[in-house]
Amino acid sequence: MQGVPNSCVTLYVPPTKRLVDVVGRLRSEQVQAENIKDRVTRQSIVSALGRLIHLLNHMPSESRSHGWACFIGGDEEQIIEPPEPITTYLYRCGSGFALDPLLQMTMESEVYGLIVIDRQEASIGWLKGTRVVPVETYDSHLMGKHRAGGQSQHRFERTMENEEVAYYRRVAEHVLRIFDPCSHTLSGIFVGGPGSTKDYFLEQSDMDYRLKAMVLQPTANVGYTDESGLWELARTVSSQRSEMALTKERNVVTEFLTAAKIGTAIYGAEEIRALITEGRAKKLWVSSGRPDVLEWVTQAEAARTEVIIVSDGSPEGHMFLSGFQGLGALPRW
């Protein structure tokens, strides 16, 4: 996908977003673009926005479950319904298209459920490929372990036990609402947390039997039960399972870092472009977070260079993008 420099318009529209509001925002952007000093850039952006507004005004009125991904600029004019629902509205105008959200969807072949829980709170989320997607966090509102004055120990313990069971039941209800037990895309569920609460939750809660059967053992010991705990759980379980995408990504980034450390890898856009043009690139690592990722993939494949797309959703992928601009190559000789 290529367009006039600085005139590539990207738009991601969630299915819940009203098109009339989107068109209104784009008209406002079009008015602001009229103030651009460079005539060619100004005309290109105003034209691209006008084409996009026209297309959106003529979209079919029936509901769309996944939303739309729109790419307008130069000779490019595409509106795509992505493979999974868009969750965040995104508008961007620049020298390249913002393809990372779409690439992330197409790269994600495995989906796991994540649950971290202790007596204070529980968090539920997804592990989609190399991305952790937090969904909800719940406070338990359980009383402390010290009883109030005048309350018998037996009565206090019974009340605390009943509240704890009710808390586990509420979490199990949320789990059922978020994870569809009939889904054919859910590869399994990981459960983690500090101490023994996670195991007690699985034993005592009324979690749907179909979902309970999908829990992958053993449970993981993690220190937190908020969103950071979901990431900790994902890293912990992926380190034990070589088949998971998060582990594979860690391995391919490590391969590049090892080659860079001993001096056999090349980094820097100009150096890598020359290597590919001369047909001397054996392998190319490119981040999906680069706006020109498809351009690099096309050039490399034309030169029969092996291409490894690294997402920027994992810690390793983010480091590769920020530290090496998301590009690395290995020469044939």
Side-chain angles (χ1 to χ4, degrees):
M1 294 183 180
Q2 294 182 347
V4 177
N6 299 318
S7 64
C8 295
V9 175
T10 301
L11 180 70
Y12 288 89
V13 184
T16 55
K17 191 80 171 176
R18 296 197 314 159
L19 282 184
V20 63
D21 296 332
V22 175
V23 170
R25 167 73 184 277
L26 294 177
R27 291 192 189 280
S28 176
E29 295 288 345
Q30 198 175 32
V31 170
Q32 294 183 34
E34 294 285 0
N35 297 320
I36 297 175
K37 293 182 179 180
D38 183 80
R39 181 181 60 84
V40 175
T41 302
R42 180 177 65 250
Q43 291 178 347
S44 299
I45 295 177
V46 171
S47 173
L49 288 170
R51 289 158 56 193
L52 180 54
I53 291 170
H54 175 79
L55 289 172
L56 291 177
N57 280 330
H58 290 81
M59 291 296 290
S61 59
E62 63 265 20
S63 62
R64 74 285 184 196
S65 58
H66 291 177
W68 288 304
C70 312
F71 307 97
I72 309 291
D75 297 329
E76 196 67 51
E77 192 172 284
Q78 292 192 36
I79 294 184
I80 301 168
E81 183 172 2
E84 66 177 63
I86 295 172
T87 58
T88 305
Y89 175 83
L90 171 66
Y91 165 79
R92 185 175 299 171
C93 183
S95 59
F97 295 107
L99 299 172
D100 185 53
L102 192 61
L103 287 171
Q104 289 283 3
M105 294 178 189
T106 59
M107 290 168 59
E108 291 162 357
S109 57
E110 59 183 19
V111 177
Y112 294 92
L114 300 175
I115 305 171
V116 287
I117 185 171
D118 64 7
R119 292 189 76 258
Q120 280 70 49
E121 66 179 354
S123 295
I124 302 173
W126 298 97
L127 173 58
K128 297 186 174 184
T130 61
R131 288 191 306 149
V132 170
V133 183
V135 179
E136 293 175 347
T137 296
Y138 316 97
D139 292 325
S140 68
H141 301 295
L142 293 178
M143 66 175 67
K145 294 186 177 182
H146 300 286
R147 63 189 178 91
Q151 188 177 26
S152 70
Q153 182 67 28
H154 180 69
R155 179 184 176 189
F156 173 78
E157 290 176 352
R158 185 171 65 250
T159 300
M160 189 168 65
E161 181 180 345
N162 290 338
E163 289 187 356
E164 192 168 358
V165 170
Y167 163 56
Y168 293 150
R169 184 178 298 115
R170 290 196 305 272
V171 174
E173 291 171 353
H174 289 299
V175 168
L176 179 59
R177 178 173 56 81
I178 295 170
F179 302 149
D180 180 4
C182 298
S183 172
H184 298 293
T185 61
L186 187 60
S187 301
I189 298 173
F190 294 110
V191 179
S196 59
T197 304
K198 55 187 179 298
D199 300 299
Y200 191 73
F201 164 71
L202 290 176
E203 295 170 1
Q204 301 297 324
S205 72
D206 296 326
M207 184 188 295
D208 184 279
Y209 71 95
R210 295 164 296 180
L211 293 176
K212 188 174 289 188
M214 299 183 72
V215 173
L216 301 172
Q217 297 292 342
T219 57
N221 289 316
V222 298
Y224 300 95
T225 52
D226 54 7
E227 291 186 8
S228 65
L230 294 174
W231 263 113
E232 186 181 357
L233 175 60
R235 288 193 295 269
T236 299
V237 297
S238 66
S239 66
Q240 303 166 355
R241 295 172 178 267
S242 60
E243 78 279 5
M244 292 179 63
L246 201 59
T247 305
K248 293 177 181 177
E249 178 149 292
R250 183 183 302 116
N251 291 340
V252 300
V253 173
T254 299
E255 179 188 5
F256 166 74
L257 293 177
T258 301
K261 184 177 181 179
I262 63 177
T264 57
I266 303 296
Y267 44 90
E270 295 303 319
E271 292 82 355
I272 293 174
R273 194 182 303 278
L275 201 68
I276 294 175
T277 302
E278 295 167 5
R280 296 193 298 112
K282 178 181 180 181
K283 184 180 295 186
L284 172 72
W285 290 267
V286 57
S287 172
S288 63
R290 289 184 62 94
D292 58 352
V293 56
L294 288 187
E295 177 186 340
W296 284 101
V297 170
T298 301
Q299 291 181 11
E301 290 181 343
R304 297 184 178 181
T305 299
E306 179 186 353
V307 178
I308 299 174
I309 298 179
V310 181
S311 81
D312 65 344
S314 69
E316 292 78 11
H318 178 73
M319 181 275 299
F320 176 65
L321 177 61
S322 61
F324 296 90
Q325 289 74 53
L327 280 177
L330 190 67
R332 296 185 189 278
W333 62 84

